[in-house]
Amino acid sequence: MKKILFSLTLLLSSFAFAQNQPLIIGMELAYPPFEMSDENGKPTGISVDMAYALGEFIGRDVIIEDMAYGGLIPALKTKKIDAVISSMSITEERKLSVNFSKPYAKSYLAMLVNNKSGITKSSDLNAKGKKVAVKKGTSGHTVAEKYFPNAEILVFDKESAIILEVSQGKVDAFIYDPLTIYKNWSKNSEATTPLLEQFETESQPWAVAYRKGEDDLGAQIDDFIDEYKANGGFNKLADKYLGEERAFFKEKNVPFFFD
């Protein structure tokens, strides 16, 4: 009996210790308005607000760790962070390494093409001599290899470098989500064109990634997503950060992240 009581006490103490520890959330602060920094270098955006709301829901302080997108899952696996909230889509490959919460948003992939590329529809990109730029570690990277095997795929770490390549005509197209495509087209409309058609068969669900074996945290995250959605939290974030873009998507009959 003493052994059982000791084991139970140790288990409860471990749980209480974990609850008192800050929740370290990893994200790359380079995808406005979801993940970004304000003029003072402070994390802000939809994912940041969501992360702090999650911490409040489960009773833990939140620390935001900014890191390169490709390093998020390795950091999660090596326990440098506790979860990833970084507009990360669920893929079969990622599911081999980490667990995912319920989806909280969804997106799909679109293209930004150079006006002189001759590309008017997505299938035009799947040809020898065509060059497609993708950001390392993103769904666009994986999907490009599947849908455009005949094109040359160029992998970049920074979105800004890709946009420069497309606008200068050094690559024919950039594959990313439609919000990013829309924003970069609006800044480079003389040299580029957005192709918002959905060339994939399915949308890309976004979710919170957490370590395998940490089912208690996963259940808490799922409960948070359910309650936050029911209380209109995601719609409030969209109104706060994406009012103009949401109206544009509706006008063009393009699916929106939280629809």
Side-chain angles (χ1 to χ4, degrees), residues 36-75:
M36 57 187 179
S37 301
D38 64 17
E39 61 275 9
N40 298 315
K42 183 180 178 180
T44 187
I46 292 174
S47 296
V48 175
D49 285 8
M50 178 182 167
Y52 286 130
L54 169 62
E56 184 176 352
F57 181 81
I58 66 176
R60 294 173 66 177
D61 292 334
V62 167
I63 296 174
I64 303 296
E65 284 288 345
D66 178 23
M67 59 184 65
Y69 195 86
L72 289 169
I73 287 180

Side-chain angles (χ1 to χ4, degrees), residues 10-167:
L10 185 63
L11 180 63
L12 292 173
S13 297
S14 298
F15 178 76
F17 176 78
Q19 288 299 102
N20 289 330
Q21 293 299 300
L23 186 68
I24 305 175
I25 303 291
M27 61 181 71
E28 182 183 34
L29 299 175
Y31 181 42
F34 287 89
E35 301 97 29
M36 57 187 179
S37 301
D38 64 17
E39 61 275 9
N40 298 315
K42 183 180 178 180
T44 187
I46 292 174
S47 296
V48 175
D49 285 8
M50 178 182 167
Y52 286 130
L54 169 62
E56 184 176 352
F57 181 81
I58 66 176
R60 294 173 66 177
D61 292 334
V62 167
I63 296 174
I64 303 296
E65 284 288 345
D66 178 23
M67 59 184 65
Y69 195 86
L72 289 169
I73 287 180
L76 182 59
K77 293 174 67 177
T78 55
K79 298 187 177 182
K80 294 178 181 177
I81 57 176
D82 299 308
V84 175
I85 305 179
S86 195
S87 305
M88 181 173 283
S89 56
I90 302 170
T91 67
E92 292 303 315
E93 182 180 2
R94 288 171 180 158
K95 284 165 65 175
L96 296 174
S97 299
V98 299
N99 283 348
F100 283 99
S101 69
K102 294 178 177 180
Y104 63 85
K106 60 184 178 181
S107 185
Y108 66 97
L109 296 172
M111 295 183 187
L112 183 70
V113 302
N114 182 272
N115 286 342
K116 297 180 181 179
S117 66
I119 298 172
T120 59
K121 56 185 184 300
S122 59
S123 58
D124 294 337
L125 188 57
N126 189 30
K128 289 186 177 179
K130 294 300 183 184
K131 296 181 179 181
V132 54
V134 296
K135 188 175 178 181
K136 183 178 180 180
T138 64
S139 296
H141 187 176
T142 304
V143 167
E145 295 173 343
K146 176 181 178 181
Y147 284 87
F148 310 108
N150 294 317
E152 181 182 355
I153 299 172
L154 304 175
V155 183
F156 293 80
D157 289 318
K158 297 293 184 180
E159 179 185 318
S160 57
I162 297 176
I163 300 307
L164 184 62
E165 295 285 297
V166 176
S167 62

